[in-house]
Amino acid sequence: MQLPSVSPRCGWHQNGKIKRAGTKHPSTPNNIWRAVQQVPNNPTLLVIFLVNICFYFDTEMEIEKGVQRWLVNTSQWDPSPHEFSIAMSVLPSQEHSSITRFLKIEDRKRALVSRLLQYALVHQVIGIPFDEIAINRTDEGKPYLERHQNVKFPNFNFNVSHHGDYVAIASEPICLVGLDIVSCFIPGKETVSDYIHNFSSYFSSSEWEKIVNAGSDDDVLDTFFRYWCLKEAFVKALGTGVGYKLDHVEFHHKDWTDIRVKVDGDVLNDWNFWLFELQGRHQIAVARGHPRIASENYKKTLKQTQFDNDLYKLGFHLPNPMFVMRTVEELCSLFPHGVKSSNSAMNPYQRW
């Protein structure tokens, strides 16, 4: 019997697929094992299987490095004007106006930390020198990394969010990622009922029923914000603007786990969602899904929007890690200018 054509070597090709050398089909453990079963008791083919499965899981571990979750509590950073200037100075000059345009110091802090997170994560995860990192925004306002030869991941992208005390960033190597933080407090003196009714048109009838029947005022508000940040994480992953019809996006869950989304009544099985609770009544939602339904403007920034099934499953089923707490000092220490100050002995941003 002729042996199936299976090569013991595979790797990342330019189109981002895991392939057998010289073939058109993805080389995954399942595919190789099926070939082994066709020719039982063949030691050569078994060795090929073992080599491929080792390479496959080594590749998965490498790809998994693109899944990052970082978080900064800005309420714990109380910089002097000089310290704030030092932190801002590590960023490219073109980013400064997007920080100083805010009048309130809390808003400036969030804007500064958001940009520190973006540059620090791109540098640490991908290895691009800081002076070569180019981060731009789509017309809808979503930040993205300009293509660079150092980017080895099939579809590296990231998303940032800030609200209340926290600023966060999440990245993915294959799937789209969306992120949203909410502080579960009402601005102003409205009652909970009055406040949430301002947004009733953004929810489906099923979601709204669960919100208003959640229990106490705190329970109602927490449920409202959980649904809200899930919707925001989803549309932010797509790169759409504020015009997206949120009432067409309906979430279902089992006690806020196994979260699924329907759009216009259709379940999107290639999307996953997670909710985390942070201190001080903050919620954070992460969305992970297929780029084929991203906005047209955002699609143009992506390396690719179509994947073979094996590669997409690899990205879709990567572990979703807990958020890692970072400090502003740690972020600044990653920058080449972060170790310089007028008094190096007292520099608050020494390397860590």
Side-chain angles (χ1 to χ4, degrees):
M1 180 183 295
Q2 184 178 1
L3 291 179
S5 175
V6 181
S7 168
R9 296 183 58 83
C10 61
W12 290 111
H13 284 226
Q14 290 182 351
N15 61 4
K17 296 180 179 179
I18 305 175
K19 286 188 173 182
R20 304 177 197 153
T23 74
K24 297 182 179 180
H25 304 290
S27 180
T28 66
N30 284 339
N31 290 343
I32 304 297
W33 182 242
R34 282 193 289 268
V36 172
Q37 291 175 317
Q38 292 178 36
V39 190
N41 302 320
N42 186 291
T44 302
L45 202 55
L46 184 59
V47 169
I48 290 174
F49 168 73
L50 293 174
V51 170
N52 271 274
I53 198 170
C54 289
F55 187 93
Y56 184 85
F57 286 110
D58 183 61
T59 300
E60 182 175 355
M61 291 177 63
E62 190 67 27
I63 286 292
E64 193 175 332
K65 294 177 183 178
V67 182
Q68 297 291 327
R69 310 284 188 261
W70 293 7
L71 185 70
V72 175
N73 187 337
T74 58
S75 69
Q76 296 177 352
W77 185 48
D78 185 23
S80 67
H82 177 63
E83 289 171 332
F84 190 92
S85 295
I86 291 175
M88 188 169 67
S89 70
V90 305
L91 293 170
S93 58
Q94 66 266 23
E95 295 283 7
H96 294 185
S97 61
S98 61
I99 299 167
T100 57
R101 67 187 179 92
F102 294 103
L103 298 178
K104 295 181 179 180
I105 183 60
E106 292 303 317
D107 293 329
R108 288 190 174 195
K109 282 167 57 176
R110 295 186 192 102
L112 170 58
V113 172
S114 173
R115 283 151 182 83
L116 289 174
L117 281 168
Q118 293 172 53
Y119 282 86
L121 184 141
V122 167
H123 172 71
Q124 191 167 63
V125 174
I126 300 180
I128 301 178
F130 281 104
D131 59 356
E132 296 180 18
I133 296 175
I135 295 176
N136 289 316
R137 289 178 177 266
T138 64
D139 291 342
E140 293 82 8
K142 183 168 183 177
Y144 65 93
L145 176 67
E146 288 282 4
R147 295 180 185 180
H148 191 281
Q149 62 182 6
N150 280 24
V151 181
K152 305 303 182 185
F153 299 114
N155 216 32
F156 180 79
N157 67 112
F158 62 87
N159 201 210
V160 290
S161 182
H162 56 77
H163 197 219
D165 295 338
Y166 293 95
V167 184
I169 188 168
S171 67
E172 288 285 334
I174 295 173
C175 301
L176 292 183
V177 63
L179 177 68
D180 195 60
I181 298 176
V182 291
S183 173
C184 300
F185 293 97
I186 299 175
K189 299 181 179 180
E190 288 182 287
T191 66
V192 169
S193 178
D194 288 343
Y195 176 77
I196 66 171
H197 273 84
N198 294 326
F199 304 92
S200 60
S201 62
Y202 295 106
F203 297 90
S204 71
S205 58
S206 172
E207 292 170 333
W208 189 248
E209 182 179 357
K210 290 179 172 62
I211 291 170
V212 297
N213 294 315
S216 67
D217 278 357
D218 282 348
D219 292 335
V220 167
L221 203 57
D222 286 346
T223 304
F224 166 84
F225 278 120
R226 285 186 179 119
Y227 278 116
W228 183 263
C229 68
L230 284 169
K231 288 172 181 276
E232 285 290 308
F234 176 62
V235 299
K236 288 177 67 179
L238 301 181
T240 59
V242 294
Y244 199 92
K245 295 181 179 180
L246 292 180
D247 57 316
H248 290 221
V249 180
E250 181 178 88
F251 281 92
H252 298 264
H253 60 87
K254 297 176 182 177
D255 196 22
W256 299 109
T257 62
D258 191 22
I259 302 170
R260 292 291 179 263
V261 66
K262 289 183 177 181
V263 177
D264 292 324
D266 296 326
V267 178
L268 301 187
N269 290 316
D270 49 7
W271 281 79
N272 267 336
F273 300 87
W274 297 271
L275 273 172
F276 299 87
E277 290 190 358
L278 305 175
Q279 291 183 344
R281 287 192 68 190
H282 292 71
Q283 302 279 347
I284 185 166
V286 177
R288 172 193 283 169
H290 205 291
R292 63 169 164 256
I293 61 171
S295 70
E296 291 305 314
N297 279 337
Y298 193 57
K299 279 183 180 179
K300 296 174 184 177
T301 74
L302 298 172
K303 200 170 181 179
Q304 63 184 104
T305 58
Q306 299 295 329
F307 299 92
D308 65 44
N309 195 44
D310 289 307
L311 179 57
Y312 184 74
K313 282 185 177 179
L314 172 62
F316 187 67
H317 293 293
L318 288 172
N320 181 59
M322 299 295 291
F323 278 83
V324 176
M325 190 67 71
R326 302 290 192 191
T327 67
V328 175
E329 291 80 7
E330 288 173 346
L331 297 177
C332 288
S333 73
L334 298 174
F335 290 75
H337 301 295
V339 295
K340 299 178 181 178
S341 72
S342 57
N343 185 349
S344 59
M346 296 298 291
N347 177 21
Y349 305 131
Q350 290 181 339
R351 291 197 175 273
W352 56 299

